[in-house]
């Protein structure tokens, strides 16, 4: 057996209010679920992006918790790459620069396909890339 795909991806950010403002105002993403001080859940295509406060998710669930999700978490900056066409990458680059978001890298991979890299307020490395960087359509 082999997994059929990735359902969710997680980033960590201790200041969820600041991160939520960034994802809302810069990436036009609205959480479909939010728990103050603990988590933000976003839909992105047919996948889900979760942003957890690492200080909270390492705590064991309360005895009264409805779901027995075990403690988990990570420290430091993570990385997520959003799928985009070449034309979309051009538009994202201009949009990010208009909002004062620094582009850390912008290049074409040796196998083809372009990527741009930038950061969210928690320092997570975000990327827009053409799927062909991985040989995908």
């Amino acid at each position: 057996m082999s997994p059929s795909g990735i359902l969710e991806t997680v980033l960590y950010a201790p200041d969820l209010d600041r991160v939520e403002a960034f994802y809302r105002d810069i990436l036009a993403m609205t959480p479909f679920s939010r728990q103050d001080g603990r988590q933000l859940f976003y839909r992105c295509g047919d996948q889900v992006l979760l942003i957890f406060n690492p200080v909270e998710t390492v705590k064991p669930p309360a005895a009264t918790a409805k779901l027995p999700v075990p403690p988990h978490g990570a420290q430091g900056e993570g990385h997520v790459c959003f799928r985009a066409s070449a034309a979309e990458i051009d538009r994202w680059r201009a949009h990010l620069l208009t909002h004062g978001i620094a582009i850390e890298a912008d290049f074409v991979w040796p196998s083809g396909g372009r990527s741009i890299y930038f950061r969210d307020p928690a320092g997570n490395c975000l990327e827009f890339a053409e799927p062909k960087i991985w040989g995908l359509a």
Side-chain angles (χ1 to χ4, degrees):
M1 292 181 58
S2 179
S4 62
I6 294 174
L7 180 62
E8 61 190 37
T9 298
V10 179
L11 293 175
Y12 293 88
D15 187 343
L16 293 179
D17 290 333
R18 189 169 174 221
V19 166
E20 183 178 10
F22 174 86
Y23 283 80
R24 178 190 62 234
D25 299 342
I26 305 302
L27 300 184
M29 296 174 72
T30 302
F32 68 87
S33 179
R34 181 187 209 291
Q35 184 178 350
D36 287 342
R38 188 175 196 286
Q39 64 201 30
L40 299 166
F41 294 174
Y42 295 92
R43 284 193 177 84
C44 188
D46 62 354
Q47 298 174 16
V48 177
L49 173 62
L50 310 175
I51 302 179
F52 288 133
N53 178 342
V55 174
E56 296 300 320
T57 57
V58 296
K59 296 176 183 176
T64 58
K66 292 179 183 178
L67 301 172
V69 176
H72 61 285
Q75 296 294 322
E77 300 147 353
H79 171 70
V80 168
C81 178
F82 297 101
R83 174 187 297 255
S85 69
E88 289 169 331
I89 291 172
D90 286 336
R91 291 192 303 270
W92 276 114
R93 185 179 200 291
H95 175 75
L96 293 167
L97 291 173
T98 297
H99 286 85
I101 308 299
I103 304 298
E104 292 186 11
D106 181 344
F107 61 91
V108 175
W109 290 85
S111 59
R114 180 176 166 210
S115 289
I116 60 171
Y117 291 83
F118 57 101
R119 302 266 169 185
D120 74 9
N124 291 302
C125 180
L126 306 180
E127 175 185 8
F128 281 106
E130 293 179 81
K132 63 184 167 185
I133 71 169
W134 291 109
L136 304 172

